Amino acid sequence: MKPAVLEVMRMNRVCRMVLVTSVGSFILVIFYFQSMLHPVMRRNPFGMDICCRKGSRSPLQELYNPTQLSNTAILHQIRRDQVTDTCRANSVSSRKRRVLTPNDLKHLVVDEDHEMIYCYVPKVACTNWKRVMMVLTGRGKYSDPMEIPANEAHVSSNLKTLNQYSIPEINHRLKNYMKFLFVREPFERLVSAYRNKFTQKYNTSFHKRYGTKIVRRQRKNATQEALRKGDDVKFEEFVAYLIDPHTQREEPFNEHWQTVYSLCHPCHIHYDLIGKYETLEEDSNYVLQLAGVGNYLKFPTYAKSTRTTDEMTTEFFQNISSLHQMQLYEVYKLDFLMFNYSVPSYLKLE
């Protein structure tokens, strides 16, 4: 165990946001600093007050200054360091904009009672995590996450996001709340998004909004029916659409295939905990343990027979040319590096 890792583990690190006014609108600039935290009033997921006993600890204190050092705490420090090192190595903060607008914060779900902020990433168990957040913030309205219908979990008014707060309130929450997100192998997540949005007949809104556009741009001699419905997009066409410079100039990617870097801004916002889809149950329950609700609430676990696997992803990439594979990898490269995912063995990048 490296001394440097242990030393960083002892620090209470949170973010401070300096706000600047410019031409009638505001921008948010993220900086880092160290701060000691204080005990807070918390609630359990059933709405019962947990008294602020002497010695009660916030999730940030539990994470950065644990009562007992564990392999799990060390693992998450390594993950944080990987993000920091990748941002620094790729000079993201100097190449890209250093400011965030309120629109950049719309994926950050706030739990006031347990002082946590969750950046949701579609196709990384975000439906179940939104269900859990509804239990945590419902103050007794919900007790079992799986009793909440999936469509209800995605109703925006059921959860409050950070962009809905005032500037001082945003400042306070980024400074004092534990911020976390969950990530997944980028191409497995991409194939999952394709399968869900373009191969399911019920997703007509995606077929109309994106499928028709993809067919029109990427398919030669497309039939009038395909141009009208957009419900038979091939994976090769989807990839060609993603790497097309015109696509990236036209508008931001849809959230289901947008990069985690662009959704959650990990080079601008310091995430305290980075969970992975590959260790979803373990990492999720660790978050709930830090929040002090581990005895009341467990992350939902059930095996989806239709979930996208690595083997399935390999099959989808078999018909993608080496040139397109290389171009697609460049689009998602930062996500691969930042979250320590190796280059897939099936890619032909030579």
Side-chain angles (χ1 to χ4, degrees), residues 59-89:
L60 277 178
Q61 288 174 314
E62 292 289 351
L63 178 63
Y64 286 117
N65 203 5
T67 53
Q68 186 175 4
L69 191 62
S70 66
N71 290 334
T72 303
I74 295 172
L75 170 64
H76 286 284
Q77 178 60 54
I78 292 171
R79 290 179 182 176
R80 288 191 294 273
D81 290 344
Q82 177 72 23
V83 171
T84 301
D85 292 344
T86 302
C87 292
R88 184 182 299 117

Coordinates of all heavy atoms in Angstrom, one line a residue, residues 59-89:
P59 N -21.8 11.6 5.0 CA -21.2 10.7 4.0 C -19.8 11.0 3.6 O -19.0 10.1 3.4 CB -22.2 10.8 2.8 CG -23.5 11.1 3.4 CD -23.1 12.1 4.6
L60 N -19.5 12.3 3.5 CA -18.2 12.7 3.1 C -17.2 12.4 4.2 O -16.0 11.9 3.9 CB -18.1 14.2 2.8 CG -18.5 14.7 1.4 CD1 -18.5 16.2 1.3 CD2 -17.7 14.1 0.4
Q61 N -17.5 12.5 5.4 CA -16.6 12.2 6.5 C -16.4 10.7 6.5 O -15.3 10.2 6.7 CB -17.2 12.6 7.9 CG -17.1 14.1 8.0 CD -17.8 14.6 9.3 OE1 -18.9 14.2 9.6 NE2 -17.1 15.4 10.1
E62 N -17.5 9.9 6.4 CA -17.4 8.5 6.3 C -16.5 8.0 5.2 O -15.7 7.0 5.4 CB -18.7 7.8 6.2 CG -19.7 8.0 7.4 CD -19.2 7.2 8.6 OE1 -18.3 6.3 8.5 OE2 -19.8 7.4 9.7
L63 N -16.5 8.7 4.1 CA -15.7 8.3 2.9 C -14.3 8.6 3.1 O -13.4 7.8 2.9 CB -16.3 8.9 1.7 CG -15.6 8.6 0.4 CD1 -15.6 7.2 0.0 CD2 -16.2 9.5 -0.8
Y64 N -14.0 9.9 3.4 CA -12.6 10.4 3.4 C -11.9 10.2 4.7 O -10.6 10.2 4.8 CB -12.6 11.9 3.0 CG -12.9 12.1 1.6 CD1 -14.0 12.8 1.2 CD2 -12.0 11.6 0.6 CE1 -14.2 13.1 -0.2 CE2 -12.2 11.9 -0.7 CZ -13.3 12.6 -1.1 OH -13.6 12.8 -2.5
N65 N -12.6 10.1 5.8 CA -12.0 9.9 7.1 C -12.7 8.7 7.8 O -13.3 8.9 8.8 CB -12.1 11.2 7.9 CG -11.0 11.3 9.0 OD1 -10.2 10.4 9.1 ND2 -11.1 12.3 9.8
P66 N -12.6 7.5 7.2 CA -13.3 6.4 7.8 C -12.8 6.0 9.2 O -11.7 6.2 9.5 CB -13.0 5.3 6.8 CG -11.7 5.6 6.2 CD -11.7 7.1 6.1
T67 N -13.8 5.5 9.9 CA -13.4 5.0 11.3 C -12.5 3.8 11.2 O -11.7 3.5 12.1 CB -14.7 4.6 12.1 OG1 -15.5 3.7 11.3 CG2 -15.6 5.9 12.3
Q68 N -12.6 3.1 10.1 CA -11.8 1.9 9.9 C -11.4 1.8 8.4 O -12.3 1.8 7.5 CB -12.5 0.6 10.3 CG -11.6 -0.6 10.2 CD -12.3 -1.8 10.8 OE1 -13.4 -1.8 11.1 NE2 -11.5 -2.9 10.9
L69 N -10.1 1.9 8.1 CA -9.7 1.8 6.7 C -10.0 0.5 6.1 O -9.7 -0.6 6.7 CB -8.1 2.1 6.7 CG -7.6 2.4 5.3 CD1 -8.2 3.6 4.7 CD2 -6.0 2.5 5.4
S70 N -10.6 0.5 4.9 CA -10.9 -0.8 4.3 C -10.4 -0.8 2.9 O -10.0 0.2 2.3 CB -12.5 -0.9 4.2 OG -13.0 0.1 3.4
N71 N -10.4 -2.0 2.3 CA -10.0 -2.2 0.9 C -10.9 -1.4 0.0 O -10.5 -0.9 -1.1 CB -9.9 -3.6 0.5 CG -8.8 -4.4 1.2 OD1 -7.8 -3.8 1.6 ND2 -8.9 -5.7 1.4
T72 N -12.2 -1.4 0.3 CA -13.2 -0.6 -0.5 C -12.8 0.8 -0.6 O -12.9 1.4 -1.6 CB -14.6 -0.8 0.1 OG1 -14.9 -2.2 0.1 CG2 -15.6 -0.1 -0.8
A73 N -12.5 1.4 0.6 CA -12.1 2.8 0.6 C -10.9 3.1 -0.3 O -10.8 4.1 -1.0 CB -11.9 3.3 2.0
I74 N -9.9 2.2 -0.2 CA -8.7 2.4 -1.0 C -9.0 2.2 -2.5 O -8.5 3.0 -3.3 CB -7.7 1.3 -0.5 CG1 -7.2 1.6 0.9 CG2 -6.4 1.4 -1.5 CD1 -6.3 0.5 1.5
L75 N -9.9 1.3 -2.8 CA -10.3 1.1 -4.2 C -10.9 2.4 -4.8 O -10.6 2.8 -5.9 CB -11.3 -0.1 -4.3 CG -12.0 -0.2 -5.7 CD1 -11.0 -0.6 -6.8 CD2 -13.1 -1.3 -5.6
H76 N -11.8 3.0 -4.0 CA -12.4 4.2 -4.5 C -11.5 5.4 -4.6 O -11.6 6.3 -5.4 CB -13.7 4.5 -3.7 CG -14.8 3.6 -4.0 ND1 -15.5 3.7 -5.1 CD2 -15.3 2.5 -3.3 CE1 -16.5 2.7 -5.1 NE2 -16.3 2.0 -4.1
Q77 N -10.4 5.4 -3.7 CA -9.4 6.4 -3.8 C -8.6 6.3 -5.1 O -8.3 7.2 -5.8 CB -8.5 6.4 -2.7 CG -7.3 7.4 -2.7 CD -7.9 8.9 -2.8 OE1 -8.6 9.3 -2.0 NE2 -7.5 9.6 -3.8
I78 N -8.3 5.0 -5.5 CA -7.6 4.7 -6.7 C -8.4 5.2 -7.9 O -7.9 5.7 -8.9 CB -7.3 3.2 -6.8 CG1 -6.3 2.8 -5.8 CG2 -6.8 2.8 -8.2 CD1 -6.0 1.3 -5.6
R79 N -9.7 4.9 -7.9 CA -10.6 5.4 -9.0 C -10.6 6.9 -9.1 O -10.6 7.4 -10.2 CB -12.0 4.8 -8.8 CG -12.1 3.3 -9.0 CD -13.6 2.8 -8.7 NE -13.7 1.4 -8.8 CZ -14.8 0.7 -8.6 NH1 -15.9 1.4 -8.2 NH2 -14.8 -0.6 -8.8
R80 N -10.7 7.6 -8.0 CA -10.6 9.0 -8.0 C -9.3 9.5 -8.6 O -9.3 10.5 -9.4 CB -10.8 9.6 -6.6 CG -12.2 9.5 -6.1 CD -12.4 10.4 -4.8 NE -11.6 9.9 -3.7 CZ -12.0 8.9 -2.8 NH1 -13.2 8.4 -3.0 NH2 -11.3 8.6 -1.8
D81 N -8.2 8.9 -8.2 CA -6.9 9.3 -8.7 C -6.8 9.1 -10.2 O -6.2 9.9 -10.9 CB -5.8 8.5 -8.0 CG -5.6 8.9 -6.5 OD1 -6.1 10.0 -6.2 OD2 -5.0 8.2 -5.8
Q82 N -7.5 8.0 -10.7 CA -7.4 7.7 -12.1 C -8.1 8.8 -12.9 O -7.6 9.3 -14.0 CB -8.2 6.4 -12.4 CG -8.2 6.0 -13.9 CD -6.9 5.6 -14.5 OE1 -6.0 5.1 -13.7 NE2 -6.8 5.7 -15.8
V83 N -9.2 9.3 -12.4 CA -9.9 10.4 -13.1 C -9.0 11.7 -13.1 O -8.8 12.4 -14.1 CB -11.3 10.7 -12.4 CG1 -11.9 12.0 -12.9 CG2 -12.2 9.5 -12.6
T84 N -8.5 12.0 -11.9 CA -7.6 13.2 -11.8 C -6.4 13.1 -12.7 O -6.1 14.1 -13.4 CB -7.1 13.3 -10.3 OG1 -8.3 13.5 -9.4 CG2 -6.3 14.6 -10.1
D85 N -5.8 12.0 -12.7 CA -4.6 11.8 -13.5 C -4.9 11.9 -15.0 O -4.2 12.5 -15.8 CB -3.9 10.4 -13.3 CG -3.3 10.4 -11.9 OD1 -3.1 11.4 -11.2 OD2 -3.0 9.2 -11.4
T86 N -6.1 11.3 -15.4 CA -6.5 11.4 -16.8 C -6.8 12.8 -17.3 O -6.4 13.3 -18.3 CB -7.7 10.5 -17.1 OG1 -7.4 9.2 -16.7 CG2 -8.1 10.5 -18.5
C87 N -7.5 13.5 -16.4 CA -7.8 15.0 -16.7 C -6.5 15.7 -16.9 O -6.4 16.6 -17.8 CB -8.6 15.6 -15.6 SG -10.3 14.9 -15.5
R88 N -5.6 15.5 -16.0 CA -4.3 16.2 -16.0 C -3.5 15.8 -17.3 O -2.9 16.7 -18.0 CB -3.5 15.9 -14.8 CG -2.2 16.7 -14.7 CD -1.4 16.4 -13.4 NE -2.2 16.7 -12.2 CZ -2.6 15.8 -11.3 NH1 -2.3 14.5 -11.5 NH2 -3.3 16.2 -10.3
A89 N -3.4 14.5 -17.5 CA -2.6 14.0 -18.7 C -3.1 14.5 -20.0 O -2.4 14.7 -20.9 CB -2.5 12.5 -18.6

